[in-house]
Amino acid sequence: MREPLSDVMTIGTYVPSAVVVISNSFAHGGSTVYHKRFGIRVNDWRILNALAIAPGRNAKQLTEVLRLDKAVISRCVAELTRLGLIGSEPEGVARRLYLTERGVAVHQGVLPLSRQRERMLTAGFSEEERAQLLSFLQRMVANLEDLKEVDAALAAGAQSGE
């Protein structure tokens, strides 16, 4: 086939494509910066930030909040523990995770870089547009639970009822 198909999903017409391209590029750049400056990757940063927001979360809670695979969370927690950035306390079978003093220092070092990168990503947006974008994205996040149910039905062979 040499001619493009007429019904395709592009960054300009398909929201998930645009979101994935932005996310992948932003995460890759962040990983590079954070690793060179602080010895952590972007998923490590996400965990540090999640623990800064709510100290004492366990790995399962991090998986749910960050929507990362449990194997990714497990590897990152092990590495952050090895680096001395997080510590833990037992809580039944799970372990409650906390930032160490060193973890707080790294979090405080990465935070302004993360905010600077966000400003660059949204350069040219007015405050009103930025607020509107965040509102749209928050609504999309809220829709993820319903999407999970639809995905399960579609994977089982049910047809979508658009």
Side-chain angles (χ1 to χ4, degrees):
M1 179 189 99
R2 293 182 179 208
E3 296 298 317
L5 297 175
S6 60
D7 187 23
V8 295
M9 295 181 257
T10 67
I11 293 171
T13 62
Y14 187 60
V15 172
S17 289
V19 170
V20 166
V21 166
I22 293 166
S23 176
N24 287 347
S25 182
F26 196 75
H28 177 74
S31 251
T32 300
V33 170
Y34 306 154
H35 188 257
K36 286 185 178 187
R37 298 277 301 269
F38 299 96
I40 65 171
R41 302 278 184 197
V42 74
N43 285 333
D44 301 323
W45 162 243
R46 290 172 178 157
I47 290 170
L48 292 178
N49 195 58
L51 293 175
I53 293 166
R57 285 181 167 148
N58 62 40
K60 184 176 189 283
Q61 291 167 326
L62 289 172
T63 300
E64 293 164 0
V65 167
L66 299 174
R67 298 185 191 249
L68 290 171
D69 183 78
K70 62 183 177 181
V72 171
I73 294 288
S74 179
R75 282 191 301 272
C76 290
V77 165
E79 180 65 6
L80 291 168
T81 301
R82 186 189 72 74
L83 292 171
L85 302 179
I86 62 173
S88 63
E89 293 177 354
E91 178 189 52
V93 176
R95 299 191 68 74
R96 295 170 58 87
L97 304 168
Y98 299 92
L99 298 180
T100 62
E101 285 185 34
R102 186 165 181 230
V104 170
V106 168
H107 180 270
Q108 294 304 102
V110 174
L111 190 59
L113 300 177
S114 182
R115 287 194 171 129
Q116 179 182 2
R117 296 182 72 248
E118 178 194 24
R119 282 191 303 275
M120 291 301 301
L121 184 65
T122 57
F125 285 56
S126 68
E127 282 304 311
E128 182 179 292
E129 290 170 326
R130 188 179 175 286
Q132 187 175 28
L133 173 62
L134 282 170
S135 173
F136 292 154
L137 292 171
Q138 289 163 353
R139 286 176 17 207
M140 289 171 67
V141 168
N143 290 338
L144 289 174
E145 283 307 309
D146 290 339
L147 182 61
K148 199 161 49 171
E149 291 176 22
V150 170
D151 287 344
L154 291 173
Q159 293 297 314
S160 171
E162 296 180 25

